[in-house]
């Protein structure tokens, strides 16, 4: 049986990074969304994960394999 966080990662759903960092949320980004400024190095990726920290207001972009490796292996 998987934990809730592991199951959400496997399904590609958003999740909180850890219990101690409750304000940090990880999610997958839709590529046709124009309101995000995606870095040039990630503009050709098929999946992009977004890390949002609500306490500091920072949003960082990462390759999808950084936070969702099993989801990408299943859905490619």
């Amino acid at each position: 049986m998987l934990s809730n966080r592991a199951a959400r990662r496997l399904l590609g759903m958003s999740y909180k990074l850890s219990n101690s960092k409750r304000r940090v949320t990880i999610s997958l980004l839709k590529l046709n969304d124009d309101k995000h400024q995606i870095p040039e190095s990630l503009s050709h990726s098929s999946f992009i994960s977004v890390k949002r920290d609500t306490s500091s207001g920072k949003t960082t972009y990462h390759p999808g394999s950084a936070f969702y490796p099993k989801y990408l292996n299943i859905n490619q």
Side-chain angles (χ1 to χ4, degrees), residues 10-55:
L10 188 61
L11 294 173
M13 299 171 68
S14 62
Y15 65 95
K16 298 200 182 332
L17 188 60
S18 68
N19 289 337
S20 63
K21 297 181 181 177
R22 295 181 187 270
R23 296 184 180 179
V24 179
T25 305
I26 309 295
S27 60
L28 284 175
L29 178 66
K30 295 179 183 176
L31 294 178
N32 56 3
D33 194 1
D34 293 335
K35 66 181 180 179
H36 295 279
Q37 295 180 350
I38 301 170
E40 187 67 32
S41 61
L42 296 174
S43 63
H44 301 294
S45 298
S46 58
F47 287 95
I48 298 173
S49 56
V50 180
K51 181 179 174 184
R52 290 187 184 97
D53 188 353
T54 56
S55 62

Side-chain angles (χ1 to χ4, degrees), residues 9 64-74:
R9 288 179 73 173
S65 60
F67 295 107
Y68 293 95
K70 291 182 183 178
Y71 175 75
L72 295 179
N73 288 338
I74 293 170

